Amino acid sequence: MSLVPTLASRNLFHDRLRFVATLVGIVFSVVLVMIQMGLFLGFGRMVTTMIDHASADLWVLPRGAKCFEDPSLLDAKLRDKVASVDGVASVVPLVIGFSDWRLESGEMTPIFVVGADLRDGSLRPWNVVEGDVRALSQNGAVVVDRSYYERLGVSKIGSTAEIRGRRVKVVALTDGIRSFTTTPYVFVDLKNARTYTGAFPDRASNLLVRLKPDADRDTVLKAVRAQVGEHEVLTTDEFRSRSRSFWLFGTGAGAALFAGALLGVIVGTVIVAQTLYSSTKDHLSEFATLRAMGSSNAYIYRVIIYQALLNAIIGFIIATAIGAVVVEMTAKSALPIVITPWLIAALFVLTVVMCVASAIGAIVRVVRIDPATVFMR
């Protein structure tokens, strides 16, 4: 058994050109699957970015609202009813909606307005790199992300534009707050959000509810639901899950990414299987020699599987390094690739399974070799 690693490694490294070709196939397959799955995870994370950064324990939503971007409105007077529930610390109305941004040149571009009462800290701009968010309390003040400089015609703090005919001024810039719909997020104060979206003063998109530290969430949740009538009350996790399910499976975008990830797994498996099978077949004479020397089938099985494991480990390490580079390169893109630790672990298991399964397929060919063929060369 001690010679198994030696035989396997010498078999692999003896013909370096063939070894490199095998690794290229494995690396390509793993990177393909990694990128497809990373895109799927990245999309799933982007669709809930606002929910993830909102300071809320519960969300009061209009009946049937499927995601954060849903334009439905509810009666803002519900705020007082919800605030009266024992265990509720604060209730913050949120007004969101699409609007038009007019550049200095006169060109129009759609935007998505996010407005909340900043004094309550419910949904403040994050990753602020320039300016002061507190300046949003000023009339006409807005915060935008610098990745939309060209789209919004913004070049610095103090740049101006118009939203629905109202003059606005950029008072702060963020970095990395991108919309998966490519429509720029524009943060404003609550009092201006209704003006920019055309919402009535007694309407709100959602109510963000924060609980007291000692409150029992389930008890408060039932009490709040009893106060809001036909509207819905969800925990942050429930709202996140609903939004993600809607965008991933309720629209074609997520389904296409999932199909791409599944196709990547299938194509990757086929490539690895073909590559390793061909590599093992090219070493038939060496395995025939082992059989002629009296090696048992079990011994040859171990050598082949050990070769597959070596290929899997080396190929996976290279693929992971390439994946890290790709993640870094797409970090600021419209759809960043996300690679999580559990995805790395799952891909490692998948790589090992693909390689070992391919090796087992080659074993069938090897054990049928007539040992006498080694003396006929």
Side-chain angles (χ1 to χ4, degrees):
M1 181 64 186
S2 60
L3 286 178
V4 169
T6 302
L7 286 173
S9 58
R10 288 185 178 179
N11 249 355
L12 286 180
F13 303 137
H14 175 70
D15 189 336
R16 295 182 181 179
L17 185 60
R18 184 184 295 137
F19 174 62
V20 170
T22 303
L23 278 185
V24 168
I26 296 173
V27 170
F28 174 79
S29 302
V30 176
V31 170
L32 175 64
V33 177
M34 185 179 295
I35 289 177
Q36 290 293 336
M37 290 301 299
L39 285 171
F40 183 76
L41 292 177
F43 183 79
R45 182 171 294 184
M46 283 196 73
V47 299
T48 61
T49 184
M50 287 295 173
I51 300 174
D52 295 337
H53 287 87
S55 177
D57 298 301
L58 304 176
W59 292 71
V60 179
L61 313 171
R63 171 65 60 181
K66 297 179 176 62
C67 60
F68 176 84
E69 291 77 14
D70 194 297
S72 303
L73 297 172
L74 50 74
D75 190 345
K77 294 178 182 178
L78 287 174
R79 179 182 186 180
D80 295 334
K81 291 184 177 180
V82 175
S84 66
V85 174
D86 188 33
V88 171
S90 65
V91 182
V92 183
L94 181 69
V95 175
I96 59 175
F98 290 94
S99 191
D100 294 319
W101 177 282
R102 182 185 293 273
L103 285 67
E104 292 287 346
S105 62
E107 183 182 354
M108 301 279 287
T109 186
I111 59 171
F112 191 82
V113 175
V114 180
D117 191 338
L118 298 177
R119 292 171 299 180
D120 293 316
S122 55
L123 184 54
R124 299 169 58 92
W126 63 96
N127 293 346
V128 178
V129 292
E130 291 184 55
D132 188 352
V133 173
R134 291 174 295 182
L136 272 181
S137 58
Q138 302 171 8
N139 191 39
V142 299
V143 175
V144 301
D145 195 84
R146 63 182 182 185
S147 59
Y148 294 112
Y149 269 5
E150 184 176 352
R151 181 85 171 272
L152 299 177
V154 173
S155 59
K156 59 182 180 179
I157 297 293
S159 295
T160 59
E162 289 184 3
I163 302 179
R164 289 176 65 94
R166 305 274 182 164
R167 197 74 170 173
V168 296
K169 177 182 178 182
V170 177
V171 297
L173 296 171
T174 61
D175 181 35
I177 304 181
R178 298 186 61 93
S179 167
F180 65 95
T181 62
T182 72
T183 302
Y185 288 125
V186 175
F187 290 89
V188 302
D189 190 64
L190 179 65
K191 66 175 184 282
N192 294 319
R194 292 190 173 94
T195 301
Y196 299 149
T197 60
F200 290 109
D202 62 344
R203 295 290 168 179
S205 302
N206 314 120
L207 296 178
L208 280 62
V209 183
R210 286 202 296 265
L211 306 183
K212 295 178 181 178
D214 59 344
D216 181 80
R217 191 182 68 173
D218 292 336
T219 301
V220 176
L221 178 59
K222 292 178 181 178
V224 172
R225 283 176 174 165
Q227 292 288 340
V228 300
E230 64 177 2
H231 299 299
E232 294 185 86
V233 183
L234 301 178
T235 65
T236 295
D237 288 340
E238 289 172 339
F239 191 31
R240 183 187 296 115
S241 178
R242 175 182 291 190
S243 295
R244 189 169 289 150
S245 296
F246 171 73
W247 288 112
L248 289 178
F249 306 110
T251 66
L257 288 172
F258 183 77
L262 181 60
L263 182 62
V265 173
I266 295 173
V267 172
T269 302
V270 171
I271 292 175
V272 169
Q274 180 61 33
T275 301
L276 285 181
Y277 179 81
S278 298
S279 176
T280 303
K281 189 175 67 173
D282 290 340
H283 289 92
L284 288 180
S285 58
E286 286 87 340
F287 292 116
T289 301
L290 285 175
R291 296 203 67 192
M293 294 172 60
S295 297
S296 64
N297 286 343
Y299 187 84
I300 295 176
Y301 295 167
R302 290 195 293 270
V303 172
I304 294 175
I305 292 177
Y306 199 91
Q307 284 183 196
L309 290 175
L310 282 177
N311 276 314
I313 293 171
I314 297 172
F316 182 78
I317 291 174
I318 297 173
T320 302
I322 294 174
V325 174
V326 174
V327 168
E328 186 64 27
M329 291 175 60
T330 62
K332 302 297 182 180
S333 67
L335 182 54
I337 294 174
V338 174
I339 299 178
T340 60
W342 73 261
L343 177 59
I344 293 291
L347 285 176
F348 178 72
V349 172
L350 178 63
T351 304
V352 170
V353 170
M354 287 192 301
C355 291
V356 172
S358 302
I360 291 174
I363 284 174
V364 176
R365 177 72 181 274
V366 171
V367 296
R368 292 177 181 175
I369 304 173
D370 185 352
T373 57
V374 73
F375 301 108
M376 299 170 62
R377 298 176 60 186

